[in-house]
Amino acid sequence: MSEKPVGLTDPPAGYADWLADLKGRIHSAQQRATLAVNRELVLLYWQIGRDILQRQAAQGWGAKVIERLALDLRAAFPEMKGFSPRNLKYMRAFAESWPDETFVQEVLAQLPWYHQLALLDKLPGPGTRKWYAAKAVEHNWSRNVLVMQIESRLLERTGAAVTNFPVTLPKPQSDLARESIKDPYRFDFLGLTGEAHEREVEHALVKHVTEFLLELGAGFAFVGRQVLLDVGGDEFFIDLLFYHLKLRCYVVIELKGGKFKPEHLGQLGFYLTAVDRQIKSEHDNPTIGLLLCKTKNKVVAEYALGDKSQPMGVAEYKLLESLPEELQTSLPSIEQIERELASGSSVSDGNEHVVAPEK
């Protein structure tokens, strides 16, 4: 046990609360200082890149000037990193890719430099870069999560599910609901192949709920697995139940291990009715249903949703392709992925609420 320093008495009443408040303010100040330093660094790099571009264009300076500039800057500022020829070329590419200084100041300056490099290296044009940059700022993604979202083609998957939201939900809720659902969902982080049964997939998703929530997207909170519904004395069980914090509604997710069939929506609609009558409060919006299946015929899904009055969507989920056992050993483990996401959340099979961390 540590001894109390000589001369110190017990703290007065209210001291502990004041100390906790001070710690929080100091932490916030540290964060603001870090963000301010990052903002100035990103703007400086953009300005250096712009100057290189302008001088090369106006005065005909060749690529050799970057080598010379790197040497001179490192000599002038030996304590600073970032003035290598390679990084100066990135600054030039950064300024060339983002000629609008206002956008750099208002959006990009909120992201660290290594985020900028990921946007430059992994995306082909300004349209997609702007979308991912805005999402990274909105959801506070780490660089690794940003790269993962780019490589999983999040932009192409967002809002691509077949839904009836435009005719079953009012605007702007219908637009937000559509943008909250993807197609397909990527569950390769589970380490399961296409032969896995739906109950195996369901169990693995709950076991690794942090990654599942990250794939679902910001706003989803986990409520429970195999949630019991007692309807007239008969028992029914919802595969997965979530609550969406932005949509202010429950989201029922049903997993089907095969191809989509129209009759699946009948069961989903029954669950939506039960949740609306038994769980939803008067302040919640109507419950949304999402049917996840291994494959679907898009036209069949559109027809099946055509006469449904409840908000529903149909999307596919993708597991790992079947691989020879010797190749599967080279895949990253769940533990490696979880360390990368650095979450630490855990759930049981009960009705717990777990909200996805925005990395």
Side-chain angles (χ1 to χ4, degrees):
M1 295 179 61
S2 60
E3 296 182 1
K4 185 186 300 182
V6 177
L8 284 184
T9 60
D10 291 333
Y15 177 84
D17 291 339
W18 177 58
L19 178 61
D21 178 63
L22 282 181
K23 288 179 179 178
R25 284 151 58 187
I26 291 170
H27 180 65
S28 296
Q30 289 175 326
Q31 287 184 316
R32 290 195 300 271
T34 300
L35 291 173
V37 169
N38 173 77
R39 173 182 174 81
E40 292 303 317
L41 184 66
V42 169
L43 291 176
L44 173 65
Y45 283 178
W46 183 85
Q47 292 164 359
I48 292 173
R50 179 197 57 188
D51 288 353
I52 294 172
L53 280 172
Q54 290 177 345
R55 281 160 175 75
Q56 285 183 326
Q59 303 178 30
W61 291 354
K64 290 288 186 181
V65 72
I66 291 180
E67 303 283 342
R68 176 60 184 267
L69 182 61
L71 186 66
D72 290 339
L73 288 177
R74 284 188 291 188
F77 303 98
E79 74 286 356
M80 288 185 66
K81 298 179 180 179
F83 291 136
S84 67
R86 182 171 183 267
N87 211 39
L88 287 172
K89 290 175 184 176
Y90 268 123
M91 294 178 203
R92 183 187 184 281
F94 181 51
E96 187 174 33
S97 298
W98 304 105
D100 183 358
E101 185 173 4
T102 300
F103 184 77
V104 174
Q105 291 176 336
E106 294 179 355
V107 179
L108 294 180
Q110 300 179 62
L111 296 173
W113 179 240
Y114 285 107
H115 285 60
Q116 317 292 351
L117 302 189
L119 293 170
L120 290 174
D121 283 341
K122 295 186 173 294
L123 294 169
T128 54
R129 287 174 184 156
K130 276 190 174 183
W131 190 89
Y132 281 101
K135 290 296 180 182
V137 171
E138 180 184 357
H139 303 309
N140 195 27
W141 286 341
S142 70
R143 180 187 180 277
N144 289 337
V145 171
L146 170 62
V147 170
M148 183 190 70
Q149 300 288 25
I150 292 172
E151 292 181 346
S152 71
R153 303 174 68 86
L154 177 64
L155 174 57
E156 291 86 343
R157 297 186 294 127
T158 296
V162 180
T163 75
N164 62 1
F165 296 157
V167 297
T168 58
L169 294 173
K171 282 185 174 292
Q173 189 185 17
S174 58
D175 293 334
L176 179 57
R178 183 179 60 83
E179 290 299 314
S180 299
I181 292 181
K182 308 167 187 172
D183 189 23
Y185 285 86
R186 299 290 300 271
F187 295 161
D188 39 4
F189 60 84
L190 298 178
L192 299 175
T193 64
E195 289 74 27
H197 297 294
E198 56 194 67
R199 189 54 60 88
E200 292 179 79
V201 176
E202 176 190 317
H203 176 75
L205 288 173
V206 174
K207 183 179 179 183
H208 304 288
V209 71
T210 299
E211 292 81 2
F212 185 26
L213 287 167
L214 184 64
E215 173 62 8
L216 286 176
F220 281 89
F222 179 70
V223 177
R225 170 198 179 201
Q226 291 297 306
V227 177
L228 171 64
L229 296 172
D230 186 321
V231 181
D234 289 345
E235 293 185 346
F236 302 88
F237 296 88
I238 295 174
D239 285 348
L240 297 163
L241 183 62
F242 292 83
Y243 190 87
H244 199 284
L245 303 178
K246 293 182 179 179
L247 291 168
R248 297 294 176 188
C249 69
Y250 286 95
V251 180
V252 173
I253 295 182
E254 282 293 296
L255 292 169
K256 298 299 177 184
K259 188 175 181 179
F260 168 75
K261 297 179 181 179
E263 53 263 35
H264 293 157
L265 296 182
Q267 179 188 31
L268 182 59
F270 173 79
Y271 290 154
L272 297 187
T273 299
V275 170
D276 279 342
R277 294 185 181 181
Q278 296 187 9
I279 301 177
K280 176 177 109 51
S281 76
E282 60 179 322
H283 304 294
D284 295 325
N285 289 315
T287 304
I288 289 174
L290 176 58
L291 188 80
L292 296 181
C293 49
K294 283 188 179 178
T295 62
K296 72 176 186 306
N297 182 311
K298 184 177 180 181
V299 177
V300 172
E302 289 174 345
Y303 275 41
L305 286 167
D307 64 348
K308 298 295 184 292
S309 60
Q310 295 164 296
M312 301 179 187
V314 179
E316 296 179 356
Y317 65 88
K318 300 297 183 185
L319 301 171
L320 290 174
E321 298 295 334
S322 297
L323 294 176
E325 186 173 349
E326 62 271 16
L327 293 181
Q328 291 188 31
T329 59
S330 66
L331 294 169
S333 68
I334 288 294
E335 289 72 22
Q336 288 174 308
I337 297 173
E338 287 176 340
R339 285 196 299 270
E340 185 65 37
L341 294 172
S343 99
S345 298
S346 63
V347 299
S348 71
D349 288 351
N351 290 352
E352 300 186 21
H353 287 72
V354 181
V355 182
E358 295 183 354
K359 301 297 286 183

